Amino acid sequence: MIPRPVVEAHGVRLRPFRAEDGADVVDGCADPLTQRFVSNLPMPYTEIDARWWIDVGAPAAWTGGGAAYAVADPATDRLLGAVGLNNPVPARGQSEIGYWMRPAARGRGVATAATRALSEHAFAAGTARLELLTEPGNGPSQRVALAAGFRYEGLRRSAGASRDGGRHDLLAWVRVVGDPPGPTARLLPDLPGGVLTDEVVALRPLAADDAALMYRLHSRPEVVANQAPPVPPTREAMERRCRLAESGWLIGEIARLLITDAASGEAVGSCGLSYTDAAAGEASVGYALLPEWRGRGYATRAVRLLAEWAFGSAGVARLSAGTVPDNTASHRVLERVGFRREALQRGRLPGLAGARLDDLTFALLPADLR
């Protein structure tokens, strides 16, 4: 069992819940964002629920071998949120860590501080391994995990229970005793200032509300023809891609970006970068433009901006791009950036009805960038 002393570290105080915390517990647990990601909370959440938690729920967590701390402001002792341990597995020296924050406490690093403080306290008490499970769409919680020194370990399929009785996937973030305190290094860092621009085009991270535009772009026949296999996406698949774009970026899988016109902010197309061999420092790029924006140099500018970021902040050593052999427009874009034709790989990609497609590969090194 984790000891119960008050913990003060990283600018927060972890203490037992008190009767006077009731209103603030309601403020945090009745909030729509908390309700969305903490599926076992009553809905609506009332003062009666808060009293039950303070009098029964939190003490029971301790009795069961976990922990339930109120996160308080050290200056005022007012409740900011909660952090706790649950689902202990003594044979593994393992527990899960979770938290929620009142709306007023978000965006201030409180969740990260509380997670770090409880993690260190748990490790000092003998815990060997902590898991932090997040929904794939919960980017802010994933950022807390990374900032607190947790590393992405993989997808837990159907590990979460939904309010409607269904199941959903969870991402597992893990920190073990002896790991550095954080933040955890990322394969794909955030864009400097949140955007890449040359004052003509601008690239920003793809977001959930870009789904309609992305579906319109990637279901166009000429765009479908230049992907493998050449099958148009469903609307549902494109909505999922946009909804999980931040998560894909944070776990280091792929950086998806929207290309916009810098002057008007109008969407131009999309591009992306994903690692093909992280150990070797190699990543690949892809891009597509809406027809009304083609032929103006926007694709060249976008790929150049993406390459500069890749070779700079992301620390990529080599970029590649695969194209179908007859996509000469795309070849010209790559060559204007500095990519060189490198290989024709026959039958490398899946086509339709069991057919195979050739892949013409281009590559770019930092010294090649124009």
Side-chain angles (χ1 to χ4, degrees):
M1 181 181 295
I2 302 298
R4 301 194 193 188
V6 172
V7 177
E8 293 211 25
H10 305 294
V12 295
R13 174 180 296 156
L14 310 186
R15 60 162 175 78
F17 284 89
R18 300 170 183 164
E20 57 267 31
D21 294 328
D24 286 335
V25 170
V26 173
D27 179 53
C29 292
D31 178 72
L33 191 61
T34 306
Q35 289 276 327
R36 176 184 172 189
F37 291 117
V38 186
S39 60
N40 61 348
L41 290 175
M43 186 170 60
Y45 196 93
T46 67
E47 292 182 7
I48 294 174
D49 299 311
R51 287 198 298 272
W52 177 89
W53 170 252
I54 293 168
D55 296 338
V56 180
W62 291 100
T63 303
Y69 274 111
V71 181
D73 183 333
T76 64
D77 204 39
R78 183 170 180 181
L79 184 134
L80 301 173
V83 65
L85 302 175
N86 57 76
N87 295 329
V89 185
R92 297 181 183 175
Q94 174 182 301
S95 284
E96 292 177 22
I97 190 167
Y99 48 82
W100 56 259
M101 295 294 137
R102 292 176 51 220
R106 295 174 190 154
R108 296 162 42 189
V110 176
T112 298
T115 301
R116 290 183 64 188
L118 183 53
S119 298
E120 293 165 6
H121 181 55
F123 290 143
T127 298
R129 171 184 166 91
L130 288 173
E131 291 192 345
L132 197 165
L133 303 179
T134 70
E135 291 192 19
N138 191 351
S141 194
Q142 294 165 38
R143 289 182 178 277
V144 168
L146 286 162
F150 286 71
R151 304 179 191 178
Y152 176 65
E153 195 167 89
L155 178 73
R156 297 279 184 84
R157 294 188 302 155
S158 295
S162 303
R163 288 186 181 277
D164 60 5
R167 310 292 302 180
H168 58 264
D169 298 340
L170 293 173
L171 304 184
W173 306 81
V174 174
R175 184 177 168 189
V176 301
V177 65
D179 278 350
T184 299
R186 288 167 48 190
L187 282 175
L188 298 171
D190 290 329
L191 303 182
V195 66
L196 301 175
T197 185
D198 63 1
E199 307 304 329
V200 176
V201 301
L203 312 183
R204 65 154 174 83
L206 199 66
D209 56 6
D210 296 321
L213 179 280
M214 288 289 287
Y215 178 72
R216 179 162 65 92
L217 169 62
H218 289 276
S219 59
R220 294 192 59 82
E222 72 277 14
V223 175
V224 172
N226 288 300
Q227 65 184 25
V231 177
T234 64
R235 179 63 181 263
E236 181 183 14
M238 199 54 63
E239 289 175 349
R240 177 178 173 81
R241 176 185 294 187
C242 293
R243 185 174 68 253
L244 302 185
E246 183 179 14
S247 179
W249 197 310
L250 291 172
I251 67 176
E253 181 179 90
I254 185 169
R256 299 188 188 275
L257 303 101
L258 193 74
I259 308 170
T260 64
D261 176 62
S264 66
E266 189 174 347
V268 170
S270 71
C271 62
L273 179 145
S274 59
Y275 272 94
T276 51
D277 188 340
E282 180 174 340
S284 65
V285 298
Y287 48 90
L289 258 61
L290 290 165
E292 60 267 30
W293 293 96
R294 297 171 191 161
R296 305 191 198 182
Y298 279 77
T300 300
R301 288 177 177 274
V303 174
R304 185 181 295 116
L305 282 169
L306 190 57
E308 290 172 348
W309 172 74
F311 290 141
S313 301
V316 172
R318 168 186 160 91
L319 283 175
S320 64
T323 70
V324 294
D326 61 355
N327 189 358
T328 56
S330 187
H331 303 165
R332 288 194 295 270
V333 167
L334 294 169
E335 288 167 345
R336 282 194 291 267
V337 175
F339 282 80
R340 301 182 188 181
R341 297 185 186 215
E342 200 161 74
L344 176 64
Q345 301 179 77
R346 295 180 301 154
R348 177 176 177 269
L349 302 172
L352 297 175
R356 303 295 298 181
L357 304 174
D358 294 344
D359 184 19
L360 180 58
T361 304
F362 290 72
L364 181 74
L365 300 179
D368 302 330
L369 186 59
R370 297 175 184 171

